[in-house]
Amino acid sequence: RRPKNFRKWGSTGVIFGDVAGIEDAVEELQELVRYLKNPELFDKMGIKPPHGVLLEGPPGCGKTLVAKAIAGEAGVPFYQMAGSEFVEVLVGVGSARIRDLFKRAKVNKPSVIFIDEIDALATSPPVPVPVPRLVPRRAARQGIYNKSTNYLYNAATQERETTLNQLLIELDGFDTGKGVIFIGATNRMDLLDPALLRPGRFDRKIRIRAPNAKGRLDILKVHARKVKMSPTVDLSSYALNLPGWTGAKLAQLLQEAALVAVRRGHESILQSDMDDAVDRLTVGPKRVGIELG
Ligand code: ATP
């Protein structure tokens, strides 16, 4: 149940009750909420505050949703950016954005910083291109030639590294920002720069899995609350028969079913509307149109 003064808190508006099918992850993340609600208590008790959390898992399974729920449950501000928003060729822009993000979060602590697709910002550096000995003069003047390795780095690689370094500096200096939780999310763990995974940067790595049949049913139930569903619809048959469907796809299914129901003049979503919506999301509306027509 949503707490009474929920809206007033001006947080994300999402709570753990909106998240389904990933109970084990939610359980682990509860501690962050306890911390955000009362950082001083952790301090007083001598408990090391949680630092950073890395959420890893396939797209559309609830990483962003669960991060928002942490802030929503604690009623604290949520600062969200995507890793790709930091990747700039203009020198210094990415790192300035990182500094600004952490500064805002610290001013308004307790708070949550969430960086989605963190792999875009923190991928292992591409192998630099070796250059012949005579080429680098100009490159050296531009500061993109590394004399010790005799490698030429392109400007984008260099900028990406500067940005990543800024993030590492912010994460390492987190003690000054007590009360701020940093959450990163990725579906390409293999691409992450090892520097980011070094102990002390993320103290928790949590896997957000694609839902199983029970998880899919729970997700359907959560989203069915937001639409008008006929009680005759058997959601469990959809949960069983749609293996591989993510939370995002299941949410989309109910939205699509609601649209079909409206188009057909139904007052609530019927089984036939659901079936049609499944077809549309599986093969696309055009093919369904041809088959039906
Ligand atoms: P990406 O990696 O593409 O950013 P993500 O894992 O962050 O994906 P979300 O953005 O959290 O996925 O999910 C998109 C939407 O799908 C959510 O806003 C929600 O409506 C629905 N959804 C996804 N997972 C769940 C879930 N476990 N429970 C309830 N709804 C979910």
Side-chain angles (χ1 to χ4, degrees):
R1 257 172 32 103
R2 263 159 243 271
K4 251 192 198 151
N5 54 353
F6 190 67
R7 287 284 160 204
K8 264 199 238 158
W9 292 346
S11 186
T12 55
V14 180
I15 57 171
F16 284 139
D18 297 321
V19 185
I22 45 173
E23 286 74 16
D24 46 344
V26 167
E27 183 61 41
E28 269 201 69
L29 294 167
Q30 295 277 6
E31 193 195 318
L32 302 185
V33 176
R34 276 194 288 277
Y35 171 69
L36 287 167
K37 278 184 169 168
N38 197 349
E40 292 79 24
L41 180 67
F42 274 58
D43 208 20
K44 224 165 51 194
M45 302 284 288
I47 306 172
K48 214 171 137 250
H51 212 62
V53 181
L54 184 65
L55 304 178
E56 188 243 336
C61 291
K63 297 185 293 296
T64 308
L65 189 70
V66 87
K68 282 184 175 169
I70 293 169
E73 288 276 348
V76 301
F78 183 74
Y79 297 93
Q80 176 179 8
M81 276 186 100
S84 51
E85 289 176 71
F86 297 106
V87 183
E88 290 282 340
V89 181
L90 280 178
V91 177
V93 172
S95 47
R97 281 188 188 154
I98 293 268
R99 261 197 308 275
D100 179 57
L101 183 69
F102 277 76
K103 201 166 132 197
R104 276 190 295 146
K106 281 179 194 171
V107 168
N108 295 305
K109 68 187 182 183
S111 59
V112 173
I113 299 175
F114 177 65
I115 300 188
D116 198 6
E117 316 161 19
I118 196 166
D119 44 280
L121 168 80
T123 45
S124 310
V127 179
V129 192
V131 292
R133 277 180 154 258
L134 292 173
V135 176
R137 288 198 166 196
R138 227 185 92 208
R141 278 203 302 278
Q142 291 171 341
I144 56 172
Y145 173 60
N146 183 328
K147 204 170 170 194
S148 62
T149 57
N150 199 22
Y151 277 114
L152 188 66
Y153 290 82
N154 73 33
T157 310
Q158 212 192 26
E159 170 56 8
R160 191 200 59 80
E161 280 193 7
T162 316
T163 308
L164 174 60
N165 281 337
Q166 187 60 42
L167 175 65
L168 298 178
I169 289 169
E170 298 289 352
L171 287 178
D172 290 345
F174 236 19
D175 274 356
T176 52
K178 273 181 189 158
V180 182
I181 296 271
F182 176 76
I183 305 176
T186 181
N187 43 46
R188 292 301 309 270
M189 187 82 155
D190 53 317
L191 288 183
L192 282 191
D193 195 302
L196 198 59
L197 296 173
R198 225 162 275 151
R201 263 114 196 214
F202 287 113
D203 39 21
R204 281 178 189 72
K205 295 182 192 83
I206 295 178
R207 187 151 171 75
I208 306 289
R209 293 170 203 287
N212 58 16
K214 175 168 182 315
R216 291 194 294 274
L217 177 60
D218 293 342
I219 293 172
L220 283 171
K221 283 183 184 163
V222 162
H223 289 277
R225 293 200 303 248
K226 301 175 192 164
V227 291
K228 197 147 186 284
M229 179 74 64
S230 160
T232 57
V233 175
D234 175 21
L235 287 178
S236 58
S237 67
Y238 296 97
L240 279 176
N241 293 315
L242 298 173
W245 280 42
T246 61
K249 193 113 190 246
L250 294 168
Q252 198 190 350
L253 169 64
L254 293 193
Q255 284 299 306
E256 187 70 33
L259 284 174
V260 174
V262 167
R263 209 173 303 140
R264 290 177 172 168
H266 297 159
E267 286 191 351
S268 59
I269 300 172
L270 305 180
Q271 192 97 16
S272 56
D273 304 327
M274 284 289 284
D275 291 341
D276 196 8
V278 170
D279 286 348
R280 281 166 180 271
L281 293 186
T282 315
V283 291
K286 277 209 183 103
R287 292 257 316 265
V288 173
I290 291 165
E291 276 164 24
L292 293 177

